[in-house]
């Protein structure tokens, strides 16, 4: 891949003085996950690089996404109203449970492996959180395939807002660190990952039909209950604490003490992205999110990940965050064409979505590879292997 300098000298100098500072108060994380991970990491060979664990976990989530896309591209497989779409085979749910559990475990032990092998570096954190930003795409749409657009499910348009909510939770944590200097890890992550693995496993044992019921008293379907739980997590466990922590950092003068315009700067590209995608989904003459839901979700998640990675780099290097992502300009043109000239678009709207999806995916991969190469060269390390220590004779 052709080298490209994405990191300025100022950013690389900021990485040189970076120190990891995070707070994890989640009971699930501290009393369940970390004790388990402390035991698991001991069986990992010392020659295995932490980034290899991180990347392997991410690939397992991609395997789940590809499998479910193959068997259920439009979320109709769990619907009795679509007999032309056969149900997802039971073994897929078992594979999904295993992949998701392993991905969560690998994501939990990569940092422990880094400290164990004395190979901790800013690249490891950037690599971990950068892939996590992309993985936010998989958290809501994996279980959604179980419920689907069935008589007990919810529409793909409503699920899109859940996808946006989870991405907002992720960017809120790093926006919080951008202003406070401390990463307050959200409570919902470990609960969500363990819950996903459990849901997949139950679906493998009892079939997707087990979820086709309504809750007594409230009358919600299981899909609606899942949707409501997500919103309770957003507005009850994430956003209020983010705003409170930032407020406290200004009151106690423990944060970066940036002016309001500078403090809000990292959110501009994220809000513009979501505004454009919501406009497209709402006013699409071709009903694009209904016709190509997975492609629409993937495009949104990839564009978001690229924006989030720039924020992560800025907060880790203590530099000014990018105001407006250049990848949003072609998206704005596409959305404008689809809304302003609906009669001329028709099925071409799908081709435009495919074109932008391929463009932003290629651009994001190129960005990621080049940034990793630049950081490896700067810190004189390897991304996926641990350099042996030099002997005295050397």
């Amino acid at each position: 891949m052709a080298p490209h300098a994405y990191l300025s000298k100022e950013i690389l100098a900021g990485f040189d003085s970076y120190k990891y500072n995070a707070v994890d108060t989640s009971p699930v994380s501290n009393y369940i996950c970390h004790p388990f991970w402390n035991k698991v990491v001991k069986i990992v060979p010392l020659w295995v690089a932490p980034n290899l664990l991180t990347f392997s976990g991410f690939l397992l989530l991609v395997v789940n996404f590809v499998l479910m896309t193959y068997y259920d591209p439009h979320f109709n497989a769990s619907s009795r109203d679509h007999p032309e779409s056969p149900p997802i085979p039971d073994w897929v749910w078992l594979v999904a449970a295993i992949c998701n559990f392993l991905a969560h475990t690998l994501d939990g032990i990569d940092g422990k492996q880094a400290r164990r092998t004395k190979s901790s570096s800013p690249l490891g954190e950037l690599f971990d959180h950068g892939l996590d930003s992309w993985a936010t795409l998989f958290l809501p749409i994996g279980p959604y395939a179980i419920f689907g657009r069935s008589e007990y499910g919810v529409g793909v348009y409503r699920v899109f807002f859940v996808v946006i909510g989870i991405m907002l939770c992720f960017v809120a944590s790093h926006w919080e660190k951008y202003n406070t200097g401390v990463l307050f890890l959200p409570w919902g992550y470990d609960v969500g990952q363990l819950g996903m693995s459990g849901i997949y496993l139950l679906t493998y044992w009892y079939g997707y039909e087990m979820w086709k019921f309504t809750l007594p008293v409230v009358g919600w379907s299981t899909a609606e209950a899942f949707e409501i739980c997500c919103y309770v997590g957003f507005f009850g466990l994430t956003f209020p604490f983010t705003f409170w922590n930032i407020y406290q950092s200004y009151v106690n003068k423990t944060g970066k003490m940036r002016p309001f315009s500078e403090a809000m700067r990292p959110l501009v590209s994220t809000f513009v992205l979501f505004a454009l995608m919501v406009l497209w989904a709402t006013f699409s003459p071709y009903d694009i999110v209904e016709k190509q839901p997975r492609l629409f979700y993937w495009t949104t998640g990839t564009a978001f990940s690229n924006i989030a990675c720039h924020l992560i780099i800025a907060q880790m290097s203590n530099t000014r965050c990018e105001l407006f992502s250049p990848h949003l300009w072609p998206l704005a043109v596409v959305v404008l064409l689809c809304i302003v000239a609906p009669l001329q678009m028709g099925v071409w709207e799908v081709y435009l979505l495919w074109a932008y999806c391929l463009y932003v995916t290629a651009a994001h991969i190129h960005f990621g590879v080049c940034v990793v190469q630049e950081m490896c060269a700067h810190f004189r390390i390897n991304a996926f292997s641990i350099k042996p220590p030099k002997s005295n004779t050397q």
Side-chain angles (χ1 to χ4, degrees), residues 106-364:
L106 292 171
D107 188 44
I109 67 173
D110 54 3
K112 299 179 185 296
Q113 178 73 351
R115 292 184 289 273
R116 184 168 170 249
T117 57
K118 298 180 181 179
S119 59
S120 299
S121 71
L123 172 61
E125 182 181 342
L126 175 60
F127 197 80
D128 184 5
H129 293 165
L131 289 178
D132 283 345
S133 69
W134 212 350
T136 55
L137 166 70
F138 306 121
L139 186 58
I141 65 175
Y144 180 51
I146 297 172
F147 310 114
R149 292 191 275 187
S150 65
E151 57 280 1
Y152 289 93
V154 295
V156 291
Y157 181 78
R158 284 169 58 178
V159 172
F160 181 56
F161 286 92
V162 176
V163 172
I164 290 177
I166 289 176
M167 292 176 184
L168 282 175
C169 288
F170 180 90
V171 80
S173 296
H174 290 277
W175 172 60
E176 183 179 13
K177 188 180 180 184
Y178 182 80
N179 288 290
T180 65
V182 181
L183 179 63
F184 295 89
L185 299 173
W187 283 24
Y189 176 71
D190 292 317
V191 174
Q193 291 291 352
L194 294 175
M196 279 180 62
S197 299
I199 289 173
Y200 288 143
L201 204 55
L202 287 173
T203 307
Y204 167 69
W205 282 334
Y206 302 108
Y208 71 93
E209 291 282 352
M210 70 165 290
W211 303 106
K212 293 186 179 298
F213 66 91
T214 56
L215 299 178
V217 182
V218 292
W220 299 334
S221 68
T222 50
E224 290 171 326
F226 178 80
E227 180 186 23
I228 291 170
C229 286
C230 288
Y231 283 112
V232 170
F234 304 156
F235 296 102
L237 297 177
T238 302
F239 299 148
F241 292 101
T242 295
F243 296 133
W244 175 253
N245 289 331
I246 294 176
Y247 170 76
Q248 286 293 98
S249 73
Y250 277 90
V251 171
N252 300 326
K253 300 187 185 312
T254 57
K256 303 295 183 179
M257 305 305 295
R258 291 186 168 98
F260 180 78
S261 59
E262 288 297 316
M264 299 299 293
R265 185 182 178 92
L267 299 181
V268 173
S269 289
T270 300
F271 286 158
V272 171
L273 168 67
F274 292 152
L276 288 172
M277 297 306 287
V278 168
L279 280 173
W280 196 358
T282 304
F283 298 104
S284 166
Y286 193 68
D287 216 359
I288 190 69
V289 73
E290 295 287 339
K291 301 287 180 56
Q292 294 290 337
R294 288 188 183 272
L295 184 62
F296 200 84
Y297 295 159
W298 174 271
T299 304
T300 305
T302 305
F304 166 77
S305 179
N306 187 265
I307 293 169
C309 285
H310 282 84
L311 169 57
I312 295 168
I313 290 172
Q315 54 97 343
M316 288 183 65
S317 61
N318 197 26
T319 54
R320 197 182 193 199
C321 185
E322 178 185 67
L323 177 64
F324 192 82
S325 171
H327 302 309
L328 295 177
W329 289 114
L331 175 62
V333 172
V334 169
V335 173
L336 185 64
L337 283 173
C338 294
I339 295 177
V340 174
L343 297 179
Q344 287 74 24
M345 285 296 103
V347 73
W348 282 99
E349 196 173 339
V350 177
Y351 300 145
L352 288 175
L353 176 60
W354 267 108
Y356 183 73
C357 177
L358 294 174
Y359 159 75
V360 77
T361 302
H364 187 43

